[in-house]
Amino acid sequence: MHRTGAPVLRDSVEAGTFEDVFFATPAKGETDSILRAARRALDAGKRLRRDARADGRQLSGVEHHLAALTSGTVRVLEEILTLARLNAGRVYPTYEYLAEATSLGRATIARALHVLAAIGFVVRQRRFKRVEAQGPGPRYEQTSNVYRAYLPSCVLPYLPRWMRPAPVPDDMLQREADRVDDTKHMLSRLDCRDLALAVIANGPLAKILAKLGAAVDKREREYQNDLQPLMDSYIYPKTRVGLVSQRTNA
């Protein structure tokens, strides 16, 4: 229950406050690649169930989720990918819409979304929205979830070799490691102001951090430009007096 008394599911976020960051337009061919991987994962899940019954072994966590895949689950994912391709990644269908589009029951849709989220094919976020109501204070109600599709890395070992990404060559790995080391070395040589501007390119936060860094740099320079310590100040005049006396005697 929300503090106003309206029922709100756990981990829900208010609609309209995060969608611009959550959604992403899929790349060309990305949705097709995810769907092909899901269909291959469905076949892999069937093999895992068959081998587990034959050998009597326990499935791992990932294998258990893959074995739970069904054709209905892949059909739900196909509909989500279709919406992502047609709507530039903005996917927020209701259970009723998915049930009508896939000809599956609401309970089947709920189980399919749970399995897809457990494997990593989709990331979903619950939402709630404000509604008009009688009496003081805002009122809330649950609204449709938002979804974003991915190709999970845990599925790759169960896909055919031609569907897995090619391994990165060793020279590219070395170049990337050198680039990371060069970046760290460059950042270590920057003062506080330049470091703030390098880490945060622009915006009000960058200006605030740059101003704070400039103040820190100024304070450090003032410390470095201080007069000599007391012991050095005592030794230096005493040495100078000795040199003057020697010149006088000469």
Side-chain angles (χ1 to χ4, degrees):
M1 301 293 289
H2 192 266
R3 57 184 176 82
T4 61
V8 174
L9 296 179
R10 180 180 299 176
D11 298 329
S12 297
V13 181
E14 185 173 0
T17 61
F18 69 97
E19 286 84 351
D20 291 339
V21 179
F22 182 86
F23 291 129
T25 303
K28 183 178 180 180
E30 181 180 358
T31 56
D32 295 335
S33 299
I34 296 175
L35 182 58
R36 285 196 299 268
R39 288 170 175 167
R40 292 287 182 168
L42 174 61
D43 297 336
K46 294 178 181 179
R47 291 193 299 270
L48 289 171
R49 289 197 302 269
R50 183 180 63 249
D51 296 342
R53 287 194 299 266
D55 301 337
R57 71 179 184 89
Q58 294 292 329
L59 298 177
S60 64
V62 175
E63 293 174 344
H64 178 75
H65 294 314
L66 290 177
L69 279 172
T70 62
S71 58
T73 304
V74 177
R75 178 67 186 90
V76 173
L77 177 62
E78 181 182 7
E79 188 62 30
I80 291 176
L81 292 172
T82 301
L83 293 174
R85 184 175 62 254
L86 296 178
N87 300 320
R90 305 186 70 85
V91 183
Y92 46 92
T94 61
Y95 278 28
E96 289 75 13
Y97 175 87
L98 291 175
E100 182 178 357
T102 59
S103 301
L104 299 173
R106 182 184 175 91
T108 304
I109 297 294
R111 287 194 298 269
L113 291 174
H114 176 75
V115 172
L116 292 173
I119 297 175
F121 277 113
V122 297
V123 174
R124 58 177 174 172
Q125 175 60 58
R126 291 170 173 167
R127 300 187 300 170
F128 66 89
K129 64 179 181 179
R130 300 171 184 264
V131 295
E132 298 292 337
Q134 298 294 330
R139 294 294 184 269
Y140 301 89
E141 70 177 9
Q142 207 71 26
T143 186
S144 61
N145 301 334
V146 293
Y147 302 90
R148 183 171 175 180
Y150 289 94
L151 177 57
S153 58
C154 64
V155 175
L156 297 180
Y158 301 93
L159 301 180
R161 181 66 189 87
W162 63 270
M163 294 187 66
R164 303 179 214 164
V168 181
D170 293 339
D171 57 341
M172 293 186 64
L173 293 176
Q174 185 61 42
R175 283 200 299 269
E176 179 63 18
D178 295 340
R179 186 190 66 80
V180 172
D181 293 339
D182 293 341
T183 302
K184 290 181 179 179
H185 179 69
M186 182 270 294
L187 293 176
S188 66
R189 298 175 61 86
L190 295 178
D191 55 23
C192 296
R193 177 182 177 278
D194 293 336
L195 181 60
L197 293 175
V199 174
I200 305 177
N202 50 30
L205 181 58
K207 295 179 180 178
I208 294 174
L209 292 179
K211 186 176 181 180
L212 180 61
V216 173
D217 296 333
K218 181 179 179 182
R219 189 174 183 85
E220 290 182 352
R221 286 194 298 268
E222 289 177 353
Y223 285 152
Q224 294 174 1
N225 294 332
D226 281 344
L227 297 177
Q228 294 179 349
L230 180 60
M231 184 60 68
D232 294 341
S233 300
Y234 174 75
I235 296 174
Y236 176 72
K238 188 174 181 180
T239 306
R240 185 176 181 183
V241 169
L243 292 175
V244 172
S245 61
Q246 291 178 6
R247 291 178 182 175
T248 305
N249 294 333

